[in-house]
Amino acid sequence: MSGSNDHIDDNARRYGKQAILAAAERLQSGGLVAVPTETVYGLAADSTNASAIAEIYRTKGRPDFNPLIVHVPSIQAAGKLGLLNDLADRLAKEFWPGPLTLVVPKTADCPVTPAVTAGLETIALRCPAHHLMQKLLATTGLFLAAPSANKSGGISPTKPQHVEHSLGNAVPMILDGGACESGIESTIVAIRGDDYQILRPGPITTEQLEKSTGKRAIDKQGETIEAPGQLASHYAPTKPVRLNATQPEPDDYHIGFGDIGGNINLSVSGDLAEAASILFAALHIADSSDMPHIAIAPIPKTGIGVAINDRLQRAAQKA
Ligand code: AMP
Ligand code: MG
């Protein structure tokens, strides 16, 4: 959490009680506010307001086939938007508030505007743990759609400065909560009757999901329809990215991990949670360095390392 006043003069970035009230007012009148969550900064708007949602897509340059996650204050509130069966309910009880998104069928009277779900009959729901986002949900009484607060396809923002860098004046207000704790987007799980499918790996690991449900996830199928926004190239810096680089080339900015030092190191002790929390910040630094290429040390594919590798694969993919 950033407790310092060193950014108090910035007109877009604000924090404190008054800022929450101002953000709530802005959201209630159909405006956009960039907000911190425990995963990354989100660009929030009232999910029932069609023009506010259109403004999210416009501001991000996001393709309209890529549906948004709706943030809710509680499991009860989630039930107004989506049908949570026993499995969904169990996962929500175990991992909410937290970095887990559940894709469930929409309720018959779901008030969310169709663009949020890109016309699908399902809806992606998450109850976030970040205290500022929780306060905002409570103060507004709104269900907030909030994709990451950056231009579509670019590196996700984990600090308010990243939001400013990517979206500039297009976002008149950023609620400043300092650096995000998890630093990597939520795990997305689609409920398929009594089974579940992992649409996007994230901070809630496969092992945690298996332990909670007592069963393994079903394999991916019909990917283009089921996870419409999961494009091969995403989270991409402007420079070429090389993965599994144990040694840097002379023109590389090298992101290290563990014993592989690098120009910056994701975690000297080899802690994957620490690595996830600064992954996007490291990519931002690498992208704005003087070096023309980015190289990244191998990251173990266990636990949250699966999510880190998922993001890195997409970052390394050319659009
Ligand atoms: P983000 O880009 O972090 O806002 O996450 C949104 C992602 O959630 C999208 O790119 C989709 O892959 C996924 N998603 C959202 N709604 C649905 C849905 N109804 N069905 C399947 N996936 C969804
Ligand atoms: Mg995003």
Side-chain angles (χ1 to χ4, degrees):
M1 218 59 6
S2 105
S4 75
N5 283 351
D6 56 3
H7 48 249
I8 200 91
D9 289 328
D10 290 352
N11 39 24
R13 255 189 276 161
R14 298 177 53 188
Y15 67 93
K17 236 191 213 148
Q18 289 308 317
I20 292 172
L21 292 177
E25 230 165 75
R26 203 176 266 278
L27 290 165
Q28 269 156 342
S29 55
L32 305 188
V33 178
V35 295
T37 80
E38 69 273 33
T39 59
V40 304
Y41 272 76
L43 186 60
D46 174 2
S47 63
T48 66
N49 182 325
S51 66
I53 296 305
E55 188 62 19
I56 285 187
Y57 280 96
R58 230 185 343 263
T59 304
K60 279 181 62 70
R62 182 168 171 120
D64 62 8
F65 57 79
N66 189 355
L68 309 177
I69 294 169
V70 180
H71 297 75
V72 293
S74 63
I75 299 182
Q76 286 80 345
K80 294 186 183 147
L81 310 184
L83 300 166
L84 276 66
N85 65 8
D86 286 350
L87 181 61
D89 193 61
R90 177 187 311 184
L91 287 170
K93 283 201 174 100
E94 175 130 13
F95 297 110
W96 283 3
L100 177 70
T101 295
L102 295 172
V103 175
V104 296
K106 280 200 285 191
T107 54
D109 54 355
C110 177
V112 162
T113 195
V116 166
T117 56
L120 297 170
E121 286 310 307
T122 51
I123 186 164
L125 300 171
R126 177 163 105 82
C127 175
H130 197 288
H131 71 106
L132 287 177
M133 189 62 167
Q134 289 253 358
K135 277 214 183 84
L136 212 48
L137 289 165
T139 309
T140 59
L142 297 174
F143 307 123
L144 296 173
S148 56
N150 60 300
K151 282 283 180 195
S152 185
I155 310 171
S156 299
T158 55
K159 295 179 176 182
Q161 293 88 333
H162 299 156
V163 180
E164 286 173 336
H165 182 71
S166 183
L167 297 177
N169 293 335
V171 178
M173 181 170 183
I174 304 170
L175 203 52
D176 188 342
C180 300
E181 196 183 327
S182 284
I184 208 157
E185 294 82 354
S186 61
T187 305
I188 304 181
V189 165
I191 302 297
R192 310 264 183 244
D194 294 336
D195 288 310
Y196 67 100
Q197 189 181 353
I198 300 172
L199 299 183
R200 176 173 74 187
I204 303 295
T205 63
T206 306
E207 293 78 11
Q208 284 176 290
L209 293 170
E210 283 177 4
K211 193 161 174 225
S212 169
T213 59
K215 56 167 88 174
R216 302 181 77 156
I218 56 175
D219 281 346
K220 293 191 176 187
Q221 36 173 258
E223 181 73 6
T224 48
I225 300 164
E226 306 298 358
Q230 302 297 297
L231 302 177
S233 172
H234 210 83
Y235 317 107
T238 57
K239 299 172 182 173
V241 174
R242 188 162 57 87
L243 304 182
N244 299 314
T246 47
Q247 289 287 339
E249 300 291 335
D251 59 357
D252 280 340
Y253 186 93
H254 193 205
I255 299 179
F257 177 79
D259 292 342
I260 300 174
N263 299 93
I264 190 171
N265 194 295
L266 294 178
S267 172
V268 175
S269 66
D271 178 343
L272 288 168
E274 183 185 15
S277 74
I278 63 165
L279 174 70
F280 288 126
L283 284 172
H284 279 284
I285 291 168
D287 209 25
S288 54
S289 79
D290 293 335
M291 299 299 199
H293 294 121
I294 301 172
I296 304 173
I299 311 289
K301 294 187 176 71
T302 54
I304 196 174
V306 176
I308 296 175
N309 279 286
D310 169 77
R311 305 305 188 274
L312 289 177
Q313 288 290 344
R314 295 176 207 273
Q317 195 82 30
K318 284 225 163 48

